[in-house]
Each structure stands twice: as C-alpha cells, then as structure tokens.
Amino acid sequence: MVAVADMKIRVLIVDDDALVRAGLSMILGGVGDIEVAGEAADGDQVPKMVAEHRPDVVLMDIRMPRVDGLAATEALRSTANPPEVVVLTTFHADAQVLRALRSGAAGFLLKDIPPAELVAAIRKVAAGEPILSPAVTRQLISHVSDGAAGGRRERARSLLTRLSEREREVAVAVGRGRSNAEIGAELYMSVATVKAHVSRILTKLGLNNRVQIALTVHDSES
C-alpha cells in the first residue's frame, strides 16, 4: 500500500509479449502519479525485479514460458511485505485466474481494459482495495472449477470456526458481495466497526483480502 499521498505508485509489468509491455508502459508513463518501475518478460525474473525496484503493484501475465504468473504470484505473496499483484488475462473465465486469486492476487484485469480503467484499478489496488468485488468473484466461480472441491470445503469450514458469531456474519456478507456500508446497515453496526471486523477476519484466517474471504465462504457452502 502506498502510504504517502504525494508519492508515485511504482508498477512492475510482467508479460512475455513485448508489445503488451510497451503498450502498458506507454499508457502508465503518461500518468503523473504512476511510475513504471520496471518490466519483466517471464515469471522467473520477478523476485530479482521486485527486490531491485520495490514496486507497489505488479501487473502479472498468466501464461509465460518458464515460470507462469500463477507460480510467480504464489511465490511473491508468500514473502514478507509483498507488493500487490493484479493478474492480466485475455478472458474472464480462466481457471488460472481463480487460482491466482486464491494465492493472494488483489484481482484481475482483462488485457483490453480501457486505459482510464487500468489507471483507476492500479490506484485502487495501491490504496489497499481489491479490484475484484466478491460479486464478480462468485460469477467467476460459477463458470470455473479447479477441482478438489471436497478438500477445500472442509478446510474452509474449519477456518470459519475460528471466527466469532458476529465475524461469521460479516464474512458471509462479504461473500455475498456486500459493501462495508451495506454490511453495516444489514447488521446494525458502523462502517468503522465493519472494517474492524474485516481486519480481524483476515488476521484470524490468514487471508490477504476480501476476495479471499469471499472464496472461503463460497468453498464452505459448496
């Protein structure tokens, strides 16, 4: 998360297509509060590039020849204080996208996203907000199956037992795609209290973001 308002958001672009990298660099290079910190052509370059350039956000392609975006995302998100990862894909119903979200990616973008939406998404992720709503996550889940549902169901149910009754209510509401304001109105609590509950849920369950809360709730009900 970018902590200081006047600091530029540093972005690392990871894609094996030189034209895609050039296009993204051209778009982001003209934005005053965003800086292209570097480019990588394969997932195996990510650890070194992140260590050298310390990006706030990584735009991560999925399909790359040596180390794909999924493996690179899993490795990156398992490190201390990792940058946020946004998965780049050519179509929305991709099993690998769902797996990337499970590993801690903040969301996904289609490669044909309009430039203004790309910039807005990067700003949002840099501010600590996932760019994929739980509602969209459920839509993705409804189109994609990545197997092992039984094992995930039992694990998810076990995780949710760590929560208090109130925290479980908040988690279920997040899984239904409710915003903090909607959850507050539904459960008769302030937005600040909802945020505090969400923060505790993430800590107790060892999750990265609201998307993963939604995935866990979905898994427990599957």
Side-chain angles (χ1 to χ4, degrees), residues 10 18 21 23 31-32 35 47 62-63 99 131 141 159 165 187 191 197 214 222:
R10 295 174 58 78
R21 296 199 306 274
V31 180
E35 175 185 350
I62 292 180
R63 294 173 178 83
R99 290 175 61 195
I131 59 169
I141 290 168
L159 283 174
E165 181 177 353
L187 299 181
V191 170
H197 279 307
S222 63

Short mmCIF file of all heavy atoms in Angstrom, two decimals, residues 10 18 21 23 31-32 35 47 62-63 99 131 141 159 165 187 191 197 214 222:
data_model
loop_
_atom_site.label_atom_id
_atom_site.label_comp_id
_atom_site.label_asym_id
_atom_site.label_seq_id
_atom_site.Cartn_x
_atom_site.Cartn_y
_atom_site.Cartn_z
N ARG A 10 4.55 2.82 -7.80
CA ARG A 10 5.54 2.13 -8.62
C ARG A 10 4.96 0.80 -9.12
O ARG A 10 4.48 0.00 -8.33
CB ARG A 10 6.82 1.89 -7.81
CG ARG A 10 7.51 3.19 -7.43
CD ARG A 10 8.71 2.96 -6.50
NE ARG A 10 9.71 2.07 -7.08
CZ ARG A 10 10.59 2.44 -8.00
NH1 ARG A 10 10.61 3.68 -8.44
NH2 ARG A 10 11.48 1.57 -8.47
N ALA A 18 6.31 -8.48 -25.79
CA ALA A 18 6.97 -7.16 -25.78
C ALA A 18 6.01 -6.05 -26.16
O ALA A 18 6.10 -4.92 -25.64
CB ALA A 18 8.17 -7.17 -26.72
N ARG A 21 3.89 -5.21 -23.10
CA ARG A 21 4.68 -4.42 -22.15
C ARG A 21 4.84 -2.98 -22.63
O ARG A 21 4.70 -2.03 -21.85
CB ARG A 21 6.06 -5.05 -21.94
CG ARG A 21 6.04 -6.42 -21.31
CD ARG A 21 7.41 -6.79 -20.72
NE ARG A 21 8.49 -6.67 -21.68
CZ ARG A 21 8.86 -7.62 -22.53
NH1 ARG A 21 8.21 -8.77 -22.56
NH2 ARG A 21 9.89 -7.45 -23.36
N GLY A 23 2.89 -1.31 -24.65
CA GLY A 23 1.61 -0.61 -24.58
C GLY A 23 1.27 -0.17 -23.17
O GLY A 23 0.84 0.97 -22.93
N VAL A 31 0.97 9.05 -16.87
CA VAL A 31 0.14 9.33 -15.70
C VAL A 31 1.02 9.90 -14.59
O VAL A 31 2.02 9.29 -14.19
CB VAL A 31 -0.58 8.06 -15.21
CG1 VAL A 31 -1.44 8.37 -13.99
CG2 VAL A 31 -1.43 7.47 -16.33
N GLY A 32 0.66 11.05 -14.09
CA GLY A 32 1.52 11.77 -13.16
C GLY A 32 1.84 11.06 -11.86
O GLY A 32 2.94 11.19 -11.33
N GLU A 35 4.49 5.45 -11.77
CA GLU A 35 5.82 5.29 -12.37
C GLU A 35 6.03 3.82 -12.73
O GLU A 35 5.79 2.94 -11.89
CB GLU A 35 6.89 5.73 -11.38
CG GLU A 35 8.31 5.51 -11.85
CD GLU A 35 9.34 5.85 -10.80
OE1 GLU A 35 8.96 6.45 -9.76
OE2 GLU A 35 10.53 5.52 -10.99
N PRO A 47 11.28 -12.22 -8.78
CA PRO A 47 11.93 -11.98 -7.49
C PRO A 47 13.05 -10.94 -7.56
O PRO A 47 13.12 -10.03 -6.71
CB PRO A 47 12.48 -13.37 -7.12
CG PRO A 47 11.59 -14.33 -7.83
CD PRO A 47 11.26 -13.65 -9.13
N ILE A 62 -0.46 -14.27 -17.01
CA ILE A 62 -0.59 -15.66 -16.56
C ILE A 62 0.32 -16.59 -17.35
O ILE A 62 1.14 -17.31 -16.78
CB ILE A 62 -2.05 -16.15 -16.67
CG1 ILE A 62 -2.93 -15.41 -15.65
CG2 ILE A 62 -2.12 -17.65 -16.42
CD1 ILE A 62 -4.38 -15.84 -15.70
N ARG A 63 0.19 -16.57 -18.65
CA ARG A 63 0.89 -17.56 -19.47
C ARG A 63 2.25 -17.04 -19.91
O ARG A 63 2.34 -16.15 -20.76
CB ARG A 63 0.02 -17.92 -20.68
CG ARG A 63 -1.25 -18.64 -20.27
CD ARG A 63 -2.19 -18.83 -21.46
NE ARG A 63 -3.38 -19.56 -21.07
CZ ARG A 63 -4.44 -19.01 -20.50
NH1 ARG A 63 -4.45 -17.71 -20.26
NH2 ARG A 63 -5.50 -19.74 -20.18
N ARG A 99 -7.27 -19.51 -9.41
CA ARG A 99 -6.16 -20.00 -8.59
C ARG A 99 -5.26 -18.85 -8.14
O ARG A 99 -4.77 -18.83 -7.01
CB ARG A 99 -5.36 -21.05 -9.35
CG ARG A 99 -6.11 -22.37 -9.55
CD ARG A 99 -5.31 -23.32 -10.42
NE ARG A 99 -4.04 -23.66 -9.83
CZ ARG A 99 -3.03 -24.23 -10.50
NH1 ARG A 99 -3.19 -24.48 -11.80
NH2 ARG A 99 -1.91 -24.53 -9.90
N ILE A 131 -9.59 -5.04 -6.54
CA ILE A 131 -10.34 -4.51 -7.67
C ILE A 131 -11.33 -5.51 -8.23
O ILE A 131 -11.93 -5.27 -9.27
CB ILE A 131 -9.38 -4.05 -8.79
CG1 ILE A 131 -8.51 -5.21 -9.27
CG2 ILE A 131 -8.55 -2.87 -8.34
CD1 ILE A 131 -7.75 -4.89 -10.53
N ILE A 141 -16.47 -17.92 -10.20
CA ILE A 141 -16.53 -19.26 -9.63
C ILE A 141 -17.62 -20.10 -10.30
O ILE A 141 -17.45 -21.30 -10.54
CB ILE A 141 -16.80 -19.19 -8.11
CG1 ILE A 141 -15.58 -18.62 -7.39
CG2 ILE A 141 -17.14 -20.56 -7.53
CD1 ILE A 141 -15.84 -18.25 -5.95
N LEU A 159 -11.74 -23.28 8.86
CA LEU A 159 -11.27 -21.91 9.05
C LEU A 159 -12.34 -21.04 9.67
O LEU A 159 -12.08 -20.26 10.60
CB LEU A 159 -10.84 -21.31 7.70
CG LEU A 159 -9.49 -21.73 7.14
CD1 LEU A 159 -9.31 -21.16 5.74
CD2 LEU A 159 -8.35 -21.26 8.04
N GLU A 165 -19.33 -15.40 16.25
CA GLU A 165 -20.60 -15.40 15.51
C GLU A 165 -20.75 -14.13 14.68
O GLU A 165 -21.18 -14.17 13.53
CB GLU A 165 -21.77 -15.53 16.48
CG GLU A 165 -23.13 -15.58 15.80
CD GLU A 165 -24.27 -15.77 16.77
OE1 GLU A 165 -24.00 -16.00 17.96
OE2 GLU A 165 -25.43 -15.69 16.34
N LEU A 187 -26.37 -5.36 9.42
CA LEU A 187 -26.06 -5.93 10.73
C LEU A 187 -26.09 -4.90 11.86
O LEU A 187 -25.69 -5.21 12.98
CB LEU A 187 -24.67 -6.60 10.67
CG LEU A 187 -24.52 -7.74 9.66
CD1 LEU A 187 -23.11 -8.32 9.71
CD2 LEU A 187 -25.55 -8.84 9.93
N VAL A 191 -19.73 1.64 9.90
CA VAL A 191 -18.78 1.23 8.87
C VAL A 191 -17.42 0.96 9.50
O VAL A 191 -16.71 0.01 9.11
CB VAL A 191 -18.67 2.29 7.76
CG1 VAL A 191 -17.52 1.98 6.81
CG2 VAL A 191 -19.97 2.37 6.97
N HIS A 197 -14.02 -5.56 11.93
CA HIS A 197 -14.34 -7.00 11.84
C HIS A 197 -13.63 -7.63 10.65
O HIS A 197 -13.08 -8.73 10.76
CB HIS A 197 -15.85 -7.20 11.71
CG HIS A 197 -16.60 -7.14 13.01
ND1 HIS A 197 -16.26 -7.91 14.09
CD2 HIS A 197 -17.67 -6.40 13.39
CE1 HIS A 197 -17.10 -7.66 15.09
NE2 HIS A 197 -17.96 -6.75 14.68
N ALA A 214 -14.39 -13.99 0.43
CA ALA A 214 -15.50 -14.46 -0.38
C ALA A 214 -15.27 -15.88 -0.89
O ALA A 214 -16.19 -16.71 -0.89
CB ALA A 214 -15.72 -13.51 -1.55
N SER A 222 -20.04 -24.92 -0.70
CA SER A 222 -20.11 -25.70 -1.94
C SER A 222 -20.40 -27.17 -1.67
O SER A 222 -20.26 -27.64 -0.55
CB SER A 222 -18.79 -25.58 -2.68
OG SER A 222 -17.73 -26.12 -1.93
#
